[in-house]
Amino acid sequence: MKIFLIGMPGSGKSTLGKQLAEALQLPFVDLDDEIIKKEKQSIANVFSSKGEAYFREVESETLMEWATSPNDFVMATGGGAPCFHQGIDVINQNGTSVFLDVPVDEIVKRLEHEDHRPLLQESKEKKLEALRTSRIPVYRKAHLQVSNNDANAVEEIVKGLSARR
């Protein structure tokens, strides 16, 4: 079973992904960490030295490698991974997608003290609203949608996965 968590930066994909992987006894994969290993530099450095287009190519290739592998896992994708190079189609054809739907004001609170996200260096709230508006049609193609504002998110996902079988 391959489970892909999608959603906005700061929606809790990594945090919830680790909990979900543990609950399902599956390995956890963070797509950004896989890109960092491949590129041997931080995401911010890839953005600044090679640009967003290059990053999106590497992100797409890495997503495809994992999606088409024989391995089972829970993956936290990058916020843009489903939105570029038909990422959502790759995800949905190879596993189960789960959209973590978190309001922008909650994300702003979560990201208040973070500065490592290259696309969010300007006004976080405005940028997040614009990103959400542009990405929400893609995110809504997910097999499951969960509000990650509640403590029962892992249980909700497990129930949703069981119902899909």
Side-chain angles (χ1 to χ4, degrees):
M1 169 183 347
K2 294 175 185 153
I3 302 161
F4 299 88
L5 301 182
I6 67 172
M8 293 289 294
S11 62
K13 297 179 298 288
S14 295
T15 301
L16 195 64
K18 291 172 188 168
Q19 296 168 1
L20 182 61
E22 188 175 317
L24 297 172
Q25 298 183 325
L26 290 172
F28 173 73
V29 178
D30 187 304
L31 184 60
D32 283 349
D33 288 347
E34 295 304 309
I35 293 167
I36 290 167
K37 286 181 206 168
K38 186 182 269 192
E39 290 295 304
K40 297 177 178 58
Q41 60 182 318
S42 72
I43 300 295
N45 283 348
V46 174
F47 259 78
S48 65
S49 67
K50 298 181 178 174
E52 183 177 1
Y54 175 84
F55 170 78
R56 295 298 177 196
E57 284 291 331
V58 172
E59 179 182 56
S60 175
E61 290 167 10
T62 308
L63 176 63
M64 180 64 87
E65 288 165 12
W66 276 94
T68 58
S69 77
N71 305 322
D72 290 338
F73 54 80
V74 173
M75 175 182 280
T77 67
C83 305
F84 295 89
H85 305 285
Q86 293 80 41
I88 192 66
D89 297 330
V90 169
I91 289 167
N92 284 343
Q93 288 165 12
N94 291 284
T96 301
S97 54
V98 180
F99 169 35
L100 303 182
D101 191 9
V102 177
V104 168
D105 60 335
E106 175 65 25
I107 292 172
V108 169
K109 287 179 200 164
R110 292 179 185 184
L111 300 180
E112 199 168 31
H113 303 292
E114 290 189 23
D115 61 357
H116 68 277
R117 297 176 190 266
L119 289 180
L120 300 178
Q121 292 312 303
E122 56 202 64
S123 165
K124 282 188 177 135
E125 192 156 8
K126 272 187 171 176
K127 184 67 173 178
L128 284 165
E129 286 289 356
L131 275 175
R132 181 176 168 77
T133 299
S134 68
R135 292 178 176 180
I136 199 79
V138 174
Y139 292 158
R140 288 205 173 122
K141 292 179 181 178
H143 296 121
L144 302 172
Q145 183 172 329
V146 174
S147 170
N148 187 14
N149 264 353
D150 105 21
N152 301 320
V154 170
E155 291 87 15
E156 244 184 277
I157 294 170
V158 171
K159 281 181 194 169
L161 292 169
S162 294
R164 285 189 46 82
R165 289 186 192 172

